[in-house]
Structures are given as structure tokens and as C-alpha cells.
Amino acid sequence: MSENGDGEIMKRVHEEDSNEDVNLPKKRYYRQRAHSNPIADHCFDYPVSPQQMDWTQEYDVSMTEQSQVEFADIGCGYGGLLVQLSPMFPNTLMLGMEIRVKVSDYVRDRIKALRKKHPGQFNNIACIRSNSMKYLPNFFRKGQLSKMFFLFPDPHFKKAKHKWRIINETLLAEYAYVLREDGRIYTVTDVEDLFKWMTSHLSAHPLFQRLGDEEMKADPVVEKLFESSEEGQKVSRNSGQKWCAVYRRICDTSS
Ligand code: SAM
């Protein structure tokens, strides 16, 4: 299938709703309060280094032998983006990282059910419960990722909580580390103040360069950013506005 097989993708996403033998998990059984403190010490399992990570627990052994995780959906919520991107990039391993336990359980069960329902498909997506603000370099090597997604990140409105925002100066250094040259960071939000915050930090960083309108139009992933995820759909239902920006990881000429 071509990477841009949009007709096929829509068909598959519809199939997800059709009822056959396998039941998809119901979100109402996995509800959890909206925010989890990303600075608190939750108890997570994480590898000491990327070399120690056993990806065969998450994906087909054959896929892990051929490739490594390339896309990371940070704060993936209920996993809608992963499900949309899976058939677009069938040979690319994608990982959702989600801090809330019930929400990550939902995504894991959703992927399991989708794999059962559609044998041979959705083997390239997985979700782990983790705090991506703390453990990203434990999972990914330098330059491993080609795409990172930050869809509708928690806005943390109060000034005292701005340090919890998932795009900030310190974390951008980590994102630049795990992203390969020419890799991309995708951001979308319905909060204008947060959009200004994210774009001002990203634009100020020497290793990121914002894509222009034409480049954004040429990227088949961009149009998927607005409606694929559950939060994006919620914003649309409430007739909210959405702001999107994409940045390229540029070459580090200082070293
Ligand atoms: N991206 C999803 C979407 O568009 O539907 C979810 C958006 S929701 C507003 C933000 C998500 O990020 C929540 O599910 C939250 O639990 C998760 N999150 C917040 N901080 C996180 C962190 N440090 N590591 C992993 N996930 C995090």
C-alpha cells in the first residue's frame, strides 16, 4: 500500500467501528482525571538505556529485527493518531507514550483488539505508559526518531505550572537529541496562548526551523493532525479553533 493511501485508511478506520467477533475496548471503562502531574515520581518501568529495551514485547519480532521505533506520539491520549498513521506507514514502528495508566491501558487494549480484528495489520503501533518528560533518552538513541507528535498537549494555564508544559527550553534539547537531522516535530493546540508559547520556544531554539505553508501542505501527515486524535475531535465538536506548527530538526553546525 502506498504511504498516502487515504481511501484505504478511511476504510480501515471505519472497519474499526464495525462489529465482528472481536470487541474494541470501551473508553468509559478507562476514564481517569484529565491531568497527571508530570513532575511527581510515579512508579514507572523504564529501561536503563535504549539498548536494554526489549521492543519484541510491543511489536512483531520480525518488525523489530528490521527497524527501530521512528515515530513517537508524546502524550498520545486514547491513541487515535497512531491508529490513523498505522496504515499510512505500514513499515514504520510508532510508539505512543502516555502517562495516565488507565488511558495507556485503553490504547494497549485497543491495539490488541485491532490486531485480532485485522490480522496482519496494526503491528507497527504500540503504547507504553511512561513520563516522556523524564524518560525519553531511556527509550530512544541519539537521532533515532524521524517524527515526534505533540497533539493538544496539556495547557497548564497557571504561570506557576508553565514548568509542566511539555515543550520548554530544557526538553527541546532532549527532543533535538532523539530526533534525526531533518526529523520533524508536529504541534497542534486549541489554546492560542500555548501555541504562542510552543512556537516561541521552538523558533528560539538553534536546532529547529519552522516549516512554511507550502512545506506543510506537502507533508501528508499534517492534515491528519487535526481530526485523528480524540482531543482534536472534541475540539471540533465544540467548534474550537486549532493552531498547528511543524518544525524541522536542522543540522548542528556547532560541533
Ligand atoms: N494527544 C492526545 C489527543 O490529541 O487526543 C491527548 C491530548 S491530552 C489533552 C494530553 C495527554 O498527554 C494526556 O493524555 C496526558 O495524560 C498526557 N501527558 C501529559 N504529560 C505527559 C507526560 N509527561 N508523559 C506522557 N504523557 C503525558
Side-chain angles (χ1 to χ4, degrees):
M1 188 201 316
S2 79
E3 287 199 340
N4 304 328
D6 282 7
E8 189 65 18
I9 291 157
M10 291 320 291
K11 200 171 117 217
R12 283 177 207 230
V13 173
H14 271 145
E15 281 169 10
E16 190 193 342
D17 299 330
S18 75
N19 207 349
E20 292 157 28
D21 297 342
V22 181
N23 288 325
L24 289 163
K26 302 221 175 343
K27 247 194 262 162
R28 63 174 176 272
Y29 299 125
Y30 298 82
R31 298 253 181 246
Q32 197 172 344
R33 56 188 278 265
H35 298 294
S36 188
N37 178 347
I39 297 179
D41 281 323
H42 303 82
C43 199
F44 292 111
D45 270 346
Y46 58 90
V48 176
S49 70
Q51 290 74 13
Q52 309 291 315
M53 180 65 191
D54 180 7
W55 291 110
T56 62
Q57 300 293 313
E58 310 298 333
Y59 306 97
D60 256 12
V61 179
S62 60
M63 290 198 82
T64 58
E65 281 166 354
Q66 284 159 23
S67 42
Q68 48 185 4
V69 175
E70 269 196 44
F71 294 2
D73 185 3
I74 306 298
C76 67
Y78 291 93
L81 180 74
L82 293 168
V83 173
Q84 278 281 321
L85 294 187
S86 172
M88 274 175 91
F89 301 92
N91 300 317
T92 302
L93 294 184
M94 312 174 193
L95 183 73
M97 296 181 104
E98 173 52 53
I99 200 168
R100 288 183 295 166
V101 62
K102 285 193 187 164
V103 179
S104 60
D105 282 350
Y106 170 85
V107 182
R108 293 174 69 85
D109 289 348
R110 181 181 188 184
I111 293 170
K112 243 187 251 165
L114 284 169
R115 287 177 184 174
K116 256 196 183 163
K117 220 169 156 67
H118 308 282
Q121 295 172 41
F122 300 105
N123 290 319
N124 60 335
I125 55 174
C127 172
I128 52 171
R129 182 184 179 223
S130 191
N131 183 348
S132 58
M133 289 170 81
K134 286 191 174 177
Y135 302 118
L136 222 47
N138 293 78
F139 288 94
F140 306 120
R141 296 180 175 86
K142 182 175 185 201
Q144 178 172 338
L145 299 179
S146 61
K147 296 187 192 300
M148 294 182 79
F149 298 95
F150 297 86
L151 302 194
F152 305 95
D154 292 332
H156 299 301
F157 289 109
K158 289 186 189 147
K159 206 162 184 206
K161 289 195 176 167
H162 282 178
K163 60 179 183 288
W164 292 14
R165 287 181 167 175
I166 208 152
I167 298 237
N168 65 44
E169 201 181 336
T170 315
L171 287 173
L172 281 180
E174 266 186 23
Y175 305 157
Y177 173 83
V178 293
L179 267 176
R180 69 184 58 158
E181 260 173 44
D182 231 26
R184 289 182 180 187
I185 281 191
Y186 298 82
T187 66
V188 191
T189 177
D190 57 326
V191 178
E192 189 175 13
D193 171 61
L194 179 65
F195 182 71
K196 286 182 185 157
W197 165 281
M198 294 194 293
T199 47
S200 68
H201 281 83
L202 276 155
S203 298
H205 197 284
L207 293 180
F208 291 106
Q209 184 181 60
R210 190 166 175 177
L211 261 59
D213 289 346
E214 289 308 312
E215 280 181 299
M216 280 182 60
K217 264 189 222 145
D219 184 335
V221 162
V222 170
E223 63 175 11
K224 304 291 170 200
L225 303 175
F226 300 89
E227 296 293 334
S228 301
S229 75
E230 286 65 16
E231 197 63 28
Q233 291 159 15
K234 190 165 107 189
V235 173
S236 295
R237 281 198 299 278
N238 296 331
S239 311
Q241 228 181 311
K242 296 174 194 175
W243 289 269
C244 174
V246 183
Y247 283 80
R248 175 186 296 112
R249 160 71 158 90
I250 56 173
C251 170
D252 185 356
T253 50
S254 67
S255 54

